[in-house]
């Protein structure tokens, strides 16, 4: 069995004042005497026998006696000399030899950081690996109960699957701790610095994350207030990028000073597109025509809608490729993001179609014509989730005083950067400055699926002069914002708190779907603020300066 011993340098100095070289020598030549007496004994023996032998050899030289003729006392002196020499060599040489064998060891031994040494009980005092830990976590120092030690050993040896710990133990926190310890022993690498305590592991069981060993901390900043449709919102943003929250906050300030922004949800429907195959292209075409017949759509809607209280089929769009047919179902999903909801409805429809088209082969419930978590023209054109447009008019004075630029420069930059530049790059839905920055930060803070940032960040930013060119009209059009206020990560405590801050926590009882639509407009409003501020920074030549101030640090965070 392996165990972890921690040697804190400050503790070692205050209690024993024993150097690491002394510890190494004591490990190499364990003796019953205290270390300081052992050292004194061997130093005395070494110099005494050296002095004795030198005197004897000088006498032999004077008397012309051969040196190889030795007495019993000289033999004993030579033996003592060899023994003391070996001890002193080990005492002074172990650290030097280890520094050659294990690169970087010597340079780390004087560090004030805590040192972790993993020792194998089967081979006492044999150092397997030492790991220098940058961040100390209190629970790492706690010894596991004997029962848990046995389970850890079973996981390491492969007798108990790591994924089954929650079901076997009935305690998610305990399962995470045991899995964490088993992982450290298996890999020989420490997870100190990755928090374990302070998280409700029962809340993620079977729905958010499997085989947890801790959780990652991401700071949450607040941008705002964002004045949107007459209401002020404080927008939570989870990010590790310096300057992002500050920049979005400046955009919110400009919008507030201009009387606020307005928004509209123009489409609301989640999609799923299975792929089916027939023996001929003609049969695939027959199903396409069948699905596009209005009378058949009504019958299919009844089957689809029976799978959920909130899921309502809106339309079916088909695309044919030879013998293969891609069927894109679009439905409303209430306040849920809706992927599971639409998938259930689609499965019901496929079961019905299989009875009417027995030669239909269902290849997959998703054929990528949906399209989920991938940049796709179908989402850019047809929309997916919530399609939102958001706009504001920024007076000339606000542009000059708050954004530190002018209307003409912003309009020109937007045309050459967001429109022309993106077209030159062959962008798909990327006609913006950094919409994905804001979308990702808000998504992580509110428990959305971060991977859906791919299509949710599709955005075209428009800027033009109005009122004789004095004021700035700015807008963002985002056709596929995929958000929900129930299900998934939205129920976790931290994410739920951020949703509550926005006033969109949970499902709306009065108007199903209104909370998720409101969250989508807040995302678009925050993107509008972020676009306005970043474009102004670029136009004013402030981008590099601001990032040098907020996004770089001379601090060595490993020592904090």
């Amino acid at each position: 069995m392996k165990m972890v011993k921690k040697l804190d340098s400050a503790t070692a100095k205050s209690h024993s004042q024993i150097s690491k070289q002394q510890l190494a020598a004591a490990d190499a030549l364990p003796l019953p005497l205290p270390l300081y007496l052992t050292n004194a004994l061997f130093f005395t023996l070494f110099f005494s026998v050296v002095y004795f032998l030198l005197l004897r050899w000088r006498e032999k030289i004077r008397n012309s006696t051969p040196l190889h003729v030795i007495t019993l006392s000289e033999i004993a002196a030579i033996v003592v000399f060899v023994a003391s020499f070996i001890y002193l060599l080990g005492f002074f040489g172990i650290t030097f030899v280890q520094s050659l064998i294990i690169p970087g060891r010597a340079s780390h031994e004087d560090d004030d950081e805590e040192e972790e040494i993993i020792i194998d009980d089967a081979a006492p005092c044999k150092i397997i690996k030492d790991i220098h830990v940058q961040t100390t976590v209190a629970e790492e120092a706690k010894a596991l109960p004997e029962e848990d030690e046995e389970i850890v050993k079973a996981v390491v040896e492969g007798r108990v699957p790591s994924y089954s710990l929650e079901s076997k133990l009935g305690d998610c926190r305990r399962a995470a701790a045991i899995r964490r310890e088993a992982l450290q022993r298996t890999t020989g690498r420490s997870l100190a610095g990755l928090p374990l305590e302070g998280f409700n592991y029962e809340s993620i069981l079977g729905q958010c994350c499997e085989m947890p060993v801790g959780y990652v901390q991401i700071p949450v900043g607040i941008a705002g207030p964002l004045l949107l449709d007459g209401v002020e919102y404080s927008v939570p943003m989870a990010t590790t990028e310096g300057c992002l929250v500050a920049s979005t906050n400046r955009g919110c300030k400009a919008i507030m000073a201009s009387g606020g922004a307005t928004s509209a949800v123009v489409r609301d429907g989640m999609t799923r597109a299975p792929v089916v195959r027939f023996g001929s292209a003609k049969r695939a075409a027959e199903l396409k025509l069948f699905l596009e017949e209005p009378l058949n759509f009504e019958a299919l809607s009844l089957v689809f809608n029976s799978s959920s209280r909130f899921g309502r089929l809106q339309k079916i769009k088909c695309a044919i490729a030879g013998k293969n047919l891609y069927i894109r179902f679009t439905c409303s999903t209430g306040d849920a993001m809706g992927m599971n909801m639409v998938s259930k409805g689609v499965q019901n429809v496929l079961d019905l179609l299989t009875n009417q088209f027995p030669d239909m082969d269902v290849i997959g419930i998703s054929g990528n014509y949906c399209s989920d978590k991938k940049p796709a023209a179908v989402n850019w054109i047809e929309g997916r989730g919530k399609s939102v447009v958001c706009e504001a008019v920024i007076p000339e004075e606000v542009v000059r005083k708050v954004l530190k630029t002018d209307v003409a420069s912003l309009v020109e930059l937007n045309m050459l950067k967001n429109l022309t530049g993106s077209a030159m790059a062959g962008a798909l839905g990327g006609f913006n400055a950094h919409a994905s920055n804001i979308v990702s930060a808000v998504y992580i803070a509110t428990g959305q699926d971060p991977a859906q940032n791919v299509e949710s960040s599709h955005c075209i930013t428009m800027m033009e002069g109005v009122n004789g060119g004095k004021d700035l009209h700015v807008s963002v059009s985002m056709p596929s914002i995929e958000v929900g206020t129930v299900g998934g990560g939205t129920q976790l405590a931290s994410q739920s708190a951020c949703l509550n801050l926005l006033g969109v926590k949970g499902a709306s009882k009065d108007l199903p779907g209104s909370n998720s639509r409101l969250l989508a407009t807040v995302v678009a409003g925050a993107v509008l603020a972020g676009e306005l501020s970043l474009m102004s920074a670029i136009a004013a030549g402030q981008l590099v300066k601001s990032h040098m101030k907020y996004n770089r640090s001379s601090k060595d965070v490993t020592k904090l």
Side-chain angles (χ1 to χ4, degrees):
M1 187 190 306
K2 295 179 182 178
M3 63 182 293
V4 176
K5 288 188 178 180
K6 294 207 169 189
L7 303 177
D8 188 295
S9 59
T11 304
K13 289 179 181 179
S14 62
H15 290 285
S16 65
Q17 299 295 322
I18 299 176
S19 69
K20 291 174 181 169
Q21 291 87 349
Q22 291 173 322
L23 286 175
D27 287 342
L29 296 172
L31 291 173
L33 294 176
L35 186 61
Y36 72 95
L37 291 179
T38 303
N39 292 341
L41 174 63
F42 278 94
F43 269 106
T44 302
L45 289 174
F46 178 78
F47 288 109
S48 296
V49 297
V50 168
Y51 180 73
F52 172 76
L53 290 173
L54 288 176
L55 287 178
R56 296 290 296 172
W57 291 339
R58 185 179 66 174
E59 184 178 345
K60 287 183 179 183
I61 293 172
R62 287 178 176 178
N63 298 331
S64 299
T65 304
L67 294 179
H68 63 273
V69 178
I70 57 178
T71 63
L72 184 61
S73 61
E74 291 173 342
I75 293 176
I78 292 173
V79 171
V80 173
F81 169 79
V82 172
S84 59
F85 178 78
I86 291 175
Y87 174 83
L88 295 176
L89 178 63
F91 182 78
F92 289 107
I94 281 181
T95 302
F96 173 73
V97 173
Q98 286 175 339
S99 69
L100 297 179
I101 298 175
I102 306 176
R105 180 182 180 93
S107 63
H108 289 300
E109 286 186 340
D110 293 330
D111 290 351
D112 290 332
E113 297 172 349
E114 187 175 84
E115 183 177 8
E116 196 172 77
I117 302 178
I118 299 178
I119 300 178
D120 193 337
D121 288 344
C125 302
K126 177 182 178 182
I127 298 178
I128 298 176
K129 182 178 287 189
D130 66 3
I131 302 168
H132 294 268
V133 181
Q134 296 176 343
T135 307
T136 303
V137 180
E139 80 257 359
E140 299 291 340
K142 298 178 181 178
L144 291 176
E146 184 177 350
E147 183 181 357
D148 289 356
E149 282 286 349
E150 292 301 319
I151 301 174
V152 169
K153 183 176 180 181
V155 173
V156 171
E157 294 174 354
R159 292 185 284 111
V160 174
S162 177
Y163 63 81
S164 67
L165 288 174
E166 280 78 5
S167 60
K168 289 183 181 296
L169 299 176
D171 185 337
C172 294
R173 157 62 181 79
R174 183 183 173 201
I178 290 174
R179 180 181 297 111
R180 178 191 183 102
E181 182 61 26
L183 180 63
Q184 291 184 131
R185 297 184 187 184
T186 301
T187 63
R189 297 184 180 277
S190 174
L191 286 177
L194 180 69
L196 175 66
E197 302 295 348
F199 188 82
N200 181 10
Y201 292 94
E202 280 76 12
S203 66
I204 64 173
L205 181 63
Q207 52 192 348
C208 288
C209 180
E210 297 76 42
M211 297 191 289
V213 294
Y215 59 97
V216 173
Q217 297 168 309
I218 301 179
V220 177
I222 296 296
L226 169 66
L227 182 56
L228 178 65
D229 299 321
V231 181
E232 295 183 7
Y233 299 96
S234 296
V235 184
M237 301 175 66
T239 181
T240 56
E241 179 184 353
C243 207
L244 178 60
V245 177
S247 177
T248 307
N249 190 66
R250 184 175 75 146
C252 291
K253 180 180 179 181
I255 292 172
M256 173 72 79
S258 305
T262 56
S263 66
V265 178
V266 297
R267 273 192 303 252
D268 183 5
M270 183 49 64
T271 65
R272 175 60 84 199
V275 53
V276 300
R277 182 172 59 193
F278 289 88
S280 66
K282 181 179 179 181
R283 284 291 287 165
E286 289 175 2
L287 177 57
K288 181 178 185 297
L289 296 174
F290 175 85
L291 293 172
E292 292 175 348
E293 174 59 45
L295 294 178
N296 294 332
F297 178 82
E298 294 299 326
L300 295 175
S301 294
L302 293 176
V303 176
F304 186 100
N305 297 344
S306 65
S307 64
S308 171
R309 289 187 301 154
F310 301 105
R312 294 295 178 265
L313 185 62
Q314 296 175 345
K315 65 179 180 179
I316 300 175
K317 180 181 178 64
C318 298
I320 191 170
K323 300 185 295 179
N324 307 300
L325 185 67
Y326 297 82
I327 312 168
R328 193 173 194 257
F329 294 82
T330 304
C331 81
S332 60
T333 58
D335 283 307
M337 185 270 288
M339 286 295 299
N340 293 333
M341 191 182 299
V342 66
S343 296
K344 280 174 53 180
V346 167
Q347 188 61 58
N348 287 350
V349 172
L350 290 177
D351 293 341
L352 175 66
L353 292 176
T354 301
N355 295 330
Q356 300 187 38
F357 294 84
D359 57 335
M360 182 181 74
D361 183 13
V362 179
I363 303 301
I365 188 70
S366 174
N368 275 12
Y369 188 49
C370 313
S371 175
D372 186 42
K373 302 172 184 175
K374 291 165 284 291
V378 68
N379 292 335
W380 178 242
I381 297 170
E382 296 288 336
R384 189 170 194 258
K386 278 71 173 170
S387 298
V388 183
V389 60
C390 186
E391 65 179 346
V393 175
I394 313 298
E396 178 184 26
E397 184 178 4
V398 175
V399 173
R400 180 170 50 84
K401 290 186 176 180
V402 178
L403 301 176
K404 311 299 182 184
T405 185
D406 59 83
V407 174
S409 297
L410 282 172
V411 172
E412 181 182 37
L413 177 64
N414 187 71
M415 180 186 68
L416 295 178
K417 171 182 167 61
N418 289 341
L419 305 183
T420 308
S422 297
M424 293 296 292
L428 178 58
F431 299 92
N432 58 81
H434 70 150
S436 62
N437 246 340
I438 291 87
V439 172
S440 295
V442 177
Y443 270 29
I444 295 172
T446 58
Q448 311 305 311
D449 188 340
Q452 289 185 323
N453 164 69
V454 175
E455 62 267 40
S456 296
S457 296
H458 282 180
C459 170
I460 183 168
T461 300
M462 302 292 292
M463 293 184 180
E464 62 177 290
V466 294
N467 300 328
K470 294 191 303 179
D471 302 330
L472 176 72
H473 180 274
V474 56
S475 67
V476 292
S477 300
M478 305 179 69
S480 50
I481 299 179
E482 300 163 350
V483 293
T485 57
V486 296
T490 64
Q491 65 182 353
L492 301 180
S494 300
Q495 291 81 345
S496 180
C498 290
L499 289 171
N500 188 56
L501 177 66
L502 293 171
V504 295
K505 177 182 176 181
S508 172
K509 297 179 180 178
D510 299 328
L511 186 60
S514 60
N515 279 354
S516 62
R517 286 192 291 272
L518 178 55
L519 177 58
T521 61
V522 171
V523 171
V527 169
L528 181 72
E531 291 287 282
L532 189 60
S533 182
L534 177 59
M535 291 294 287
S536 299
I538 296 175
Q542 298 173 338
L543 180 64
V544 174
K545 181 180 179 180
S546 61
H547 275 77
M548 290 301 102
K549 178 179 180 180
Y550 291 103
N551 203 27
R552 294 179 65 87
S553 175
S554 59
K555 297 178 182 177
D556 184 357
V557 296
T558 64
K559 295 182 179 180
L560 297 181

